[in-house]
Amino acid sequence: MKRIRTALCLILAAGLLAGCAFLPSDSEPETPAPTDPLTGLALEWQGQRPVAVAIENSTASTTQWGLSSASVVLEALTEVGTSTELCLVYPALAATPKVGPVAAGQDIYWRLLVGQQPIPVQRGGGQFDQNFLDYYSIRAVDALEAGRTAFDCGSEWSNAPLWYTSGKAISKVLDELSISSALTKSRVTSAVSAAADSASSGADAVLSLPALLPQEADGKLPDATAPDAVNVRVCFDDDNATGFSYDADSGLYRMLHADGTPQLDANNGQQAGFDNLLVLFSASELRDDGKTYDYDLSMGGGVWLNGGHLWTITWTQGRDNTLLLYDADGRTMNIEAGTSYIALVTSLTGQELTVTNSSGEEILG
């Protein structure tokens, strides 16, 4: 009888211990709130694909829509003898304002953004653009195909019409083009952030994306050792340059045309501005057509500017993050959450970066 009581006690104790294993523990880390893959800020458009729009940026492009509300702006010189184009990226269709003038698609932008599953928006594109889209089975919303159902150029016709669109207009043609605005499961999508909520509600987990940049709200803040950096000029060639001037009141780098005039958003008259500037140096070469540049996106040097200060960095393309950043000592680093301008610069065409401090002295040797 004593042996039976002892055995029962052992079974009861084992049951109690097993039960404790299912009780919530104060030491278990909380699942972090999902963040926007474009800015590192609180996620507002969960499960939605970003929208990436190529727009004109020649010296004559004084009318540009959508600049001030883009989460990310990309810029690179892609062809010999042409101006740069900008790629404006928004977190979802519902967040995409009137945007344009829509330009030809560029594969360099889709290569940088492919991990974020963007909906590319363009007006035509070269062979390399089409080759990339075909290879990854990506369907673009193209003005040459969708026409006035999703694009417009106003009531007055000209020899060089300024074609524009919007998230609302794009949504009208998605079903016809067999394009979904929702994220789809892929190698880089993850449902971890929504797993707990889904398990309790019985709903399917909402997919999320890796971050375009390693950003966090408490990233590497400007410190006493970071040089003062308030004026920036990225020169792509003799006819193409983009400038920035740091505005201490807003903490933003305000965008400038090549002639130093403010680069304004035609939607609201506001000068475009960014929390982060990233100028990435990349090796490049001319492709077989003799006019299109091919950029090496595997690794390179560069600079990061934030809060009126500059850091020298190196970068690589990672598996989960589109870009991984390292400080001057080779340690991985996160940057401040917020909007970003990213330029790809190569020495092939004599491109250069000039940064001056508040005293007007150049700080890059």
Side-chain angles (χ1 to χ4, degrees):
M1 188 70 177
K2 183 176 181 181
R3 289 180 180 178
I4 295 175
R5 286 200 301 269
T6 302
L8 288 174
C9 289
L10 290 172
I11 293 171
L12 181 59
L16 290 172
L17 288 172
C20 290
F22 294 98
L23 294 175
S25 171
D26 293 337
S27 62
E28 291 180 1
E30 294 183 2
T31 302
T35 56
D36 190 311
L38 300 177
T39 63
L41 300 171
L43 182 62
E44 185 175 356
W45 310 99
Q46 193 166 32
Q48 297 297 302
R49 293 176 65 187
V51 178
V53 188
I55 74 165
E56 297 176 12
N57 194 46
S58 68
T59 53
S61 298
T62 55
T63 302
Q64 295 173 306
W65 296 279
L67 272 175
S68 66
S69 53
S71 297
V72 175
V73 171
L74 306 173
E75 184 172 15
L77 185 66
T78 57
E79 292 186 17
V80 176
T82 64
S83 62
T84 61
E85 292 178 3
L86 301 178
C87 180
L88 277 53
V89 192
Y90 305 91
L93 277 172
T96 305
K98 178 179 179 180
V99 56
V102 181
Q106 302 294 336
D107 69 292
I108 181 62
Y109 297 141
W110 315 145
R111 286 167 61 195
L112 281 167
L113 296 167
V114 68
Q116 278 62 53
Q117 292 190 26
I119 300 174
V121 180
Q122 59 185 40
R123 187 168 186 268
Q127 187 59 52
F128 297 104
D129 170 69
Q130 193 58 53
N131 287 347
F132 183 86
L133 295 176
D134 289 346
Y135 182 83
Y136 284 96
S137 300
I138 300 172
R139 190 74 185 274
V141 179
D142 196 317
L144 300 185
E145 179 181 9
R148 287 187 177 271
T149 308
F151 298 82
D152 204 344
C153 62
S155 57
E156 294 184 8
W157 181 259
S158 68
N159 291 329
L162 304 180
W163 290 92
Y164 57 82
T165 187
S166 66
K168 183 177 181 180
I170 292 169
S171 64
K172 297 177 182 178
V173 298
L174 292 187
D175 288 342
E176 178 184 340
L177 298 175
S178 299
I179 297 174
S180 173
S181 62
L183 297 178
T184 58
K185 190 174 182 180
S186 73
R187 178 181 63 79
V188 295
T189 49
S190 169
V192 173
S193 61
D197 293 339
S198 300
S200 61
S201 63
D204 293 332
V206 178
L207 295 174
S208 60
L209 288 168
L212 174 64
L213 294 163
Q215 292 177 286
E216 61 182 13
D218 297 320
K220 184 174 180 180
L221 295 170
D223 55 43
T225 63
D228 169 27
V230 296
N231 294 298
V232 182
R233 183 177 176 86
V234 187
C235 184
F236 296 95
D237 64 17
D238 292 340
D239 300 316
N240 292 276
T242 298
F244 296 90
S245 180
Y246 181 65
D247 177 13
D249 291 336
S250 64
L252 300 177
Y253 281 91
R254 298 293 185 183
M255 198 172 191
L256 305 168
H257 289 289
D259 62 2
T261 57
Q263 198 148 348
L264 304 177
D265 186 337
N267 284 335
N268 50 30
Q270 294 180 2
Q271 185 178 5
F274 305 90
D275 297 294
N276 299 297
L277 302 185
L278 285 158
V279 181
L280 309 180
F281 306 129
S282 169
S284 67
E285 60 183 4
L286 279 175
R287 286 167 159 162
D288 293 340
D289 64 355
K291 66 176 184 179
T292 307
Y293 294 115
D294 184 21
Y295 286 84
D296 179 1
L297 298 183
S298 61
M299 63 179 298
V303 299
W304 167 51
L305 295 102
N306 174 277
H309 295 265
L310 174 146
W311 288 264
T312 299
I313 63 171
T314 55
W315 60 273
T316 62
Q317 206 168 27
R319 177 180 173 84
D320 295 325
N321 291 65
T322 301
L323 292 170
L324 298 176
L325 305 180
Y326 304 85
D327 64 18
D329 296 320
R331 298 170 298 193
T332 57
M333 59 180 284
N334 294 327
I335 65 172
E336 280 285 280
T339 58
S340 299
Y341 165 90
I342 306 172
L344 281 175
V345 173
T346 176
S347 60
L348 187 64
T349 59
Q351 297 179 17
E352 60 180 9
L353 169 67
T354 304
V355 182
T356 58
N357 59 25
S358 53
S359 300
E361 301 169 329
E362 291 191 18
I363 61 174
L364 294 177

